[in-house]
Amino acid sequence: MAHESSTQIHNIGYRSYDGPRLGRAYARKSLFSQSLRGAYGLGRSAKSKVLPMILFAVMCVPALIIVAVAIAVPGSSDLPIKYTTYALTTQVVIGLYLASQAPQSVSRDLRFKTVPLYFSRPIERVDYVVAKYAAMASAMFILTATPLLIMWIGALLAKFDFSDQTKGFGQGLVSVLLLSLLFSGIGLVMAALTPRRGFGVAAIIAVLLIPFGAVTAVQGIAYSTGNTGAIEWMGLFSPVTLIDGVQTAFLGATTAFPGGEGPSAGVGFVYLLVVLGLIAGSYAALMARYRKAGL
């Protein structure tokens, strides 16, 4: 007698999804928005908001003081500091912000091995890298551009010349845009090299501060020994002095190089090429890193 099969099929109530498929563009936009909010602790714990908000306030308070002094001084016709000078003056704060937030943006995904889960969805490697890079650069731009906006509004309230202030404000925005793209690329590459956040923080601080200290020291030696021609070329070896050189050559900035002589327009073009090359190189390095991490 044939034995009757006991195999049964149960309907446990799963339903197919009939809604819209939003695709890669929506996923990329969502990842950008989430990463940008996370860079200021929004949507995260209260503890995560403390450091970025403190650093943001530290960036803005000097701008408010500058505006107050300019308004209070009788006969003043300009701000005591140029728009292009502000970010380089506060570079330590900018470096601390980048070192604290770049690892937060990418290291956790590597540490908890969630990157392959991203890539199992419609999102692809290029979408992840573009969203993360754009979010970090946008967060950096907000950090560096907001004080300039405060200074510009204050200058207009003080009835300083509108065209001069707007021109300086525009030059400052271009400068901090380049700075944001360059620093964000370098910071994300350093952070993506290791899933351990502490190592990422240390690597970013080292890459920003050690070359700057070395370049400044060599420039000082060159100036004291009369080798002034070498000063402008030394500036090519540090992210901070690269931005200094570009804005001195093209944006009417006052350089911090020894002797107060920044690169000429010709050498400034080399600075600009190096900055753009580092930005493109950072993007390429992130793409290569996530080719392996996404497996």
Side-chain angles (χ1 to χ4, degrees):
M1 183 176 177
H3 187 273
E4 193 172 310
S5 174
S6 61
T7 302
Q8 298 182 17
I9 299 176
H10 297 274
N11 181 358
I12 58 176
Y14 287 124
R15 297 176 59 187
S16 60
Y17 176 72
D18 299 322
R21 302 287 179 177
L22 300 176
R24 286 175 58 190
Y26 182 82
R28 185 169 57 242
K29 178 183 175 183
S30 298
L31 183 57
F32 166 80
S33 174
Q34 177 193 34
S35 300
L36 178 57
R37 285 167 51 83
Y40 285 96
L42 303 178
R44 299 168 59 203
S45 65
K47 182 176 67 174
S48 300
K49 297 178 176 66
V50 173
L51 183 58
M53 290 303 179
I54 287 177
L55 293 175
F56 181 78
V58 171
M59 281 292 293
C60 293
V61 168
L64 292 169
I65 295 173
I66 289 170
V67 168
V69 170
I71 293 175
V73 174
S76 178
S77 60
D78 201 357
L79 296 172
I81 185 173
K82 286 188 173 184
Y83 294 93
T84 49
T85 304
Y86 193 90
L88 297 185
T89 304
T90 55
Q91 61 177 283
V92 173
V93 180
I94 296 171
L96 288 175
Y97 178 84
L98 179 65
S100 65
Q101 298 309 311
Q104 182 277 137
S105 180
V106 297
S107 295
R108 289 188 305 168
D109 291 342
L110 294 169
R111 185 165 67 253
F112 298 118
K113 302 185 185 303
T114 57
V115 174
L117 296 179
Y118 280 111
F119 297 166
S120 68
R121 293 299 183 182
I123 194 171
E124 294 184 5
R125 178 165 50 98
V126 64
D127 301 314
Y128 183 89
V129 171
V130 167
K132 289 292 184 177
Y133 199 155
M136 193 71 251
S138 297
M140 289 283 289
F141 185 73
I142 292 170
L143 180 76
T144 54
T146 302
L148 304 188
L149 179 62
I150 292 172
M151 291 167 61
W152 181 68
I153 292 174
L156 297 186
L157 291 176
K159 300 189 181 335
F160 294 163
D161 185 79
F162 176 80
S163 60
D164 287 346
Q165 296 302 319
T166 302
K167 178 182 178 182
F169 178 53
Q171 291 171 332
L173 288 181
V174 173
S175 175
V176 297
L177 176 61
L178 280 175
L179 183 148
S180 298
L181 289 170
L182 177 61
F183 281 33
S184 296
I186 293 173
L188 288 176
V189 169
M190 292 296 103
L193 291 177
T194 172
R196 303 188 67 171
R197 183 175 179 179
F199 288 164
V201 171
I204 293 169
I205 292 175
V207 167
L208 292 181
L209 295 185
I210 293 177
F212 175 69
V215 166
T216 302
V218 173
Q219 285 179 325
I221 294 171
Y223 180 73
S224 63
T225 57
N227 296 319
T228 55
I231 293 176
E232 58 185 4
W233 295 107
M234 290 296 102
L236 292 170
F237 299 97
S238 161
V240 176
T241 53
L242 275 171
I243 298 298
D244 188 321
V246 170
Q247 66 179 22
T248 300
F250 301 114
L251 300 174
T254 301
T255 185
F257 289 2
E261 294 185 10
S264 61
V267 178
F269 185 69
V270 178
Y271 272 69
L272 181 60
L273 287 178
V274 172
V275 169
L276 296 178
L278 286 173
I279 292 171
S282 297
Y283 172 78
L286 287 169
M287 288 292 288
R289 176 69 178 96
Y290 284 101
R291 182 181 293 110
K292 177 181 178 181
L295 296 178

